[in-house]
Amino acid sequence: MDLFSAHAVSKQYANHKALDNVTISVPDSHIFGLLGPNGAGKTTFIRIINQIIAPDEGELIFMGRKLQPNDIAHIGYLPEERGLYKKMAVGEQAMYLAQLKGLSHHEAQTRLKYWFEKFEIKGWWNKKVEELSKGMQQKIQFLVTIIHDPKLLIFDEPFSGFDPINANLLKEEILAQKEKGTTIIFSTHNMSSVEELCDDIVLIDRSKVILSGDMRNIKKTYKTNTFEVSYNTCDDALQSILPAEFQVLSESRDVDHRNAQIKLPAGSTPNDLIRSMLPFVTIYSINEKIPSMNDIFIQAVTQQSPDPEKQD
Ligand code: ADP
């Protein structure tokens, strides 16, 4: 079942259509990557889900019925541009924000105590926000985003400003949220975190959805029957010992071995490749080249027709 879906959503700013007939389904308890180049319309879409702005057309369905103003209580949103009041004490501010989310004073105190202990930041409670580094402030913002146990969490570039250790802590917490049944929409340009975390993705380019679905299935459809082979050095160029229809895309050399990327014609298997190489070389490894989300993003976006606004 989908926790959230948007059907044929469009949004026009004065002279720019920011979203054009966008349909997106976010399955329950999945991590959903909202991807796209700068200016694609991602922030506009996130603002629409958060009911900060309204769409011109289209329908938004949350928990099986139309999205309503008070659904905001079930949503946690960490915007990309985030700020805390610099002069206020950390604990006081966290209490204030937690109560804004509808928690009682007692409940806010209990939950914040749990999170401050879990994130090992108890010592920060009485510090002023301005005494914390940017990364430390983001940790506070992350935990007040999840404090009210929302059904849907929306993170916009959650890892920006975090060192690798804290980014890992955040990743683990995002996965823990998914494990307990929370649905997560996650917008980023960091494709390695998309690979690590996302179940499904949508790619928006120039206001339109150009790719969507299960990330593993998408990767499968972008495979090109290309294999990376590591083998011992041989005197001849690899292409000269292979049938012409086996296309050597690249060759490189490391300390002990040569490595090559070889694209096979449709219907050929790695066994065919191994058979044709074996009389000439020793093979150390062979792996299928699975396209990265970075490759897929670039390929999908650059295959679109040129942007008329960017033409001379
Ligand atoms: P993204 O988050 O994918 O970078 P945005 O949703 O922020 O993209 O913006 C999409 C497009 O809409 C951009 O061209 C942006 O300049 C334009 N835009 C965003 N907000 C406004 C606004 N309030 N008024 C006019 N144009 C806007």
Side-chain angles (χ1 to χ4, degrees):
M1 199 199 105
D2 295 334
L3 180 83
F4 172 81
S5 55
H7 303 268
V9 166
S10 294
K11 175 73 186 176
Q12 175 90 33
Y13 291 120
N15 52 3
H16 179 78
K17 192 153 205 173
L19 292 173
D20 188 359
N21 201 23
V22 166
T23 293
I24 286 175
S25 299
V26 183
D28 209 354
S29 310
H30 279 212
I31 302 184
F32 184 93
L34 178 61
L35 314 178
N38 296 330
K42 304 178 298 293
T43 309
T44 302
F45 187 69
I46 288 175
R47 290 197 178 131
I48 288 174
I49 308 175
N50 280 300
Q51 302 179 80
I52 298 167
I53 55 173
D56 301 328
E57 287 167 56
E59 198 176 39
L60 301 154
I61 304 292
F62 184 60
M63 300 197 296
R65 44 146 184 79
K66 271 192 173 185
L67 183 71
Q68 296 165 2
N70 58 6
D71 283 332
I72 218 66
H74 301 299
I75 298 177
Y77 173 35
L78 184 69
E80 185 180 10
E81 293 300 327
R82 33 201 186 239
L84 295 166
Y85 306 106
K86 299 265 177 259
K87 303 281 174 202
M88 207 168 167
V90 171
E92 190 188 351
Q93 188 155 171
M95 280 296 292
Y96 169 73
L97 292 170
Q99 289 174 89
L100 269 190
K101 305 276 176 64
L103 298 184
S104 68
H105 184 88
H106 176 71
E107 193 58 38
Q109 218 162 27
T110 312
R111 292 194 192 189
L112 284 172
K113 187 166 175 283
Y114 165 82
W115 282 109
F116 272 62
E117 272 168 16
K118 183 162 185 195
F119 277 14
E120 298 174 349
I121 55 172
K122 270 197 314 192
W124 300 0
W125 188 269
N126 290 317
K127 286 201 165 141
K128 285 221 175 98
V129 168
E130 63 191 358
E131 295 175 63
L132 305 186
S133 72
K134 186 167 174 255
M136 291 156 101
Q137 293 183 31
Q138 285 183 216
K139 238 168 158 173
I140 304 290
Q141 277 160 324
F142 177 81
L143 70 87
V144 296
T145 303
I146 62 174
I147 194 94
H148 59 306
D149 263 340
K151 293 199 160 39
L152 177 64
L153 276 167
I154 303 171
F155 297 125
D156 196 352
E157 289 292 356
F159 304 112
S160 71
F162 277 102
D163 63 53
I165 294 170
N166 279 308
N168 257 351
L169 180 81
L170 214 68
K171 272 181 204 160
E172 278 165 24
E173 197 44 54
I174 291 175
L175 288 170
Q177 291 288 322
K178 172 189 152 164
E179 277 308 303
K180 66 173 199 156
T182 311
T183 305
I184 295 148
I185 296 178
F186 156 47
S187 184
T188 184
H189 289 129
N190 179 337
M191 289 299 139
S192 65
S193 63
V194 171
E195 303 259 3
E196 274 179 74
L197 296 175
C198 291
D199 301 297
D200 315 87
I201 60 117
V202 66
L203 178 54
I204 301 182
D205 184 34
R206 281 178 261 152
S207 330
K208 291 193 168 78
V209 172
I210 60 166
L211 189 64
S212 69
D214 178 288
M215 187 171 71
R216 276 153 207 88
N217 286 341
I218 289 175
K219 290 185 122 192
K220 272 189 209 156
T221 64
Y222 273 77
K223 286 199 304 192
T224 55
N225 211 17
T226 298
F227 293 83
E228 287 175 326
V229 190
S230 168
Y231 56 101
N232 68 329
T233 53
C234 70
D235 294 336
D236 302 310
L238 188 60
Q239 188 70 72
S240 69
I241 63 169
L242 292 177
E245 65 272 21
F246 290 7
Q247 199 187 343
V248 179
L249 301 178
S250 66
E251 276 186 88
S252 62
R253 192 192 287 259
D254 62 25
V255 181
D256 296 321
H257 303 138
R258 282 188 185 190
N259 303 296
Q261 289 196 11
I262 303 157
K263 187 171 186 301
L264 307 189
S268 288
T269 68
N271 282 7
D272 300 328
L273 177 62
I274 292 169
R275 260 193 294 275
S276 59
M277 288 181 76
L278 273 185
F280 306 100
V281 299
T282 305
I283 294 175
Y284 292 98
S285 68
I286 177 162
N287 292 298
E288 186 169 18
K289 189 163 159 36
I290 310 288
S292 66
M293 279 313 295
N294 204 53
D295 296 339
I296 294 172
F297 182 111
I298 292 169
Q299 197 179 329
V301 169
T302 53
Q303 265 172 6
Q304 299 295 301
S305 56
D307 185 348
E309 287 178 18
K310 287 193 184 142
Q311 283 179 345
D312 299 330

